Amino acid sequence: MHRSASRLTRVLACAAVPVILTVAGCSSDSGKESGSDSGKKPSSASSSKPSGKPSAALEKAAFATLPDPCKAVQGGTIDTLVPEAKDKNGSATKSNDLASRASCSWNGLDEDGLKGSQYRWLSISYFRYDSHASLGSANKRAEEQYNKQVELSKASEGAQNVKAEAAGGIGDQGTSVVYSVKKEVDFFNTTIVARTQNVVVTLDYNGAAYEGAGAPDQAKLLQDAITAAKEAVASVDAANKQQQPEQPQSPQPAQ
């Protein structure tokens, strides 16, 4: 029997949607030398000794900015992944440093009368890293975060039948993690974690069926998630090309 939309709204409000929380840490180099001999002048012998080998210069971060996460994928892709999205423009997560981390999410309930309803939720998150003298190169820090994010995805609370495998063609590194979570109904989840140079992209996509509708096709959820992840990765390169200043043209010789 068909239930009212208001009843479905209450059910969805109680259904916990799995979200991967990522914490980016950083440290600063500070401190002062102290000691009883701090006021003594160095001897001529010690001052003439050469200092240690200079540390190798860290590579410059390939990407200096992030795209708008709510515009990282095409409108048509949102229509496909999240039919009847509440807000097709997405809901951005607040951040005090949009150049380093940003995310956006969409959700929607597609009702089909007596055939039931399909719920979909999509989230795209970006983390960008710079080279740091004590923390390492930008790419190395991003790779560490990439590996951490994959492990967090595989260890999601309540995850069952977890399957992780390489996802080729998405940035420099890509991994898909597929699993299900048993709530009031079965949620089928797909997470794509990708790294492009010094930026890590995490795309979470899940679906559930209500009111007797057929369960989401996990293979289609995965394929749709991969399509969206490729667009999200491509948006990083596009956003940084827009930031590059135009090269001045050489003056033309006088005729």
Side-chain angles (χ1 to χ4, degrees), residues 97-119:
D97 186 2
L98 290 174
S100 296
R101 52 187 179 273
S103 63
C104 188
S105 63
W106 299 258
N107 71 87
L109 181 68
D110 187 10
E111 300 179 90
D112 192 14
L114 296 175
K115 294 183 180 180
S117 304
Q118 292 284 345
Y119 175 75

Side-chain angles (χ1 to χ4, degrees), residues 125-209:
S125 299
Y126 290 101
F127 277 86
R128 189 189 67 83
Y129 294 88
D130 285 314
S131 294
H132 192 285
S134 62
L135 299 177
S137 70
N139 281 12
K140 176 178 177 293
R141 297 179 66 196
E143 186 171 1
E144 291 172 349
Q145 176 62 25
Y146 166 85
N147 292 328
K148 182 189 298 183
Q149 193 65 65
V150 170
E151 294 306 314
L152 285 172
S153 301
K154 293 192 293 185
S156 296
E157 183 178 358
Q160 300 176 352
N161 303 316
V162 179
K163 182 180 180 181
E165 57 185 19
I170 310 178
D172 299 307
Q173 291 177 284
T175 298
S176 67
V177 182
V178 178
Y179 59 93
S180 61
V181 176
K182 182 70 175 179
K183 299 293 183 181
E184 292 185 6
V185 295
D186 289 327
F187 276 83
F188 296 96
N189 302 263
T190 296
T191 297
I192 306 295
V193 184
R195 180 183 70 83
T196 175
Q197 299 277 21
N198 59 309
V199 174
V200 177
V201 182
T202 301
L203 184 144
D204 294 306
Y205 182 47
N206 67 53

Side-chain angles (χ1 to χ4, degrees), residues 5 7-8 30 41 74 78 81 107 110 145 192 196 209 219 223 227 235-237 239 251:
R7 168 59 179 163
L8 283 172
S30 62
K41 295 182 179 180
Q74 300 176 19
I78 297 299
L81 271 66
N107 71 87
D110 187 10
Q145 176 62 25
I192 306 295
T196 175
Q223 188 56 53
T227 297
S235 292
V236 176
D237 186 58

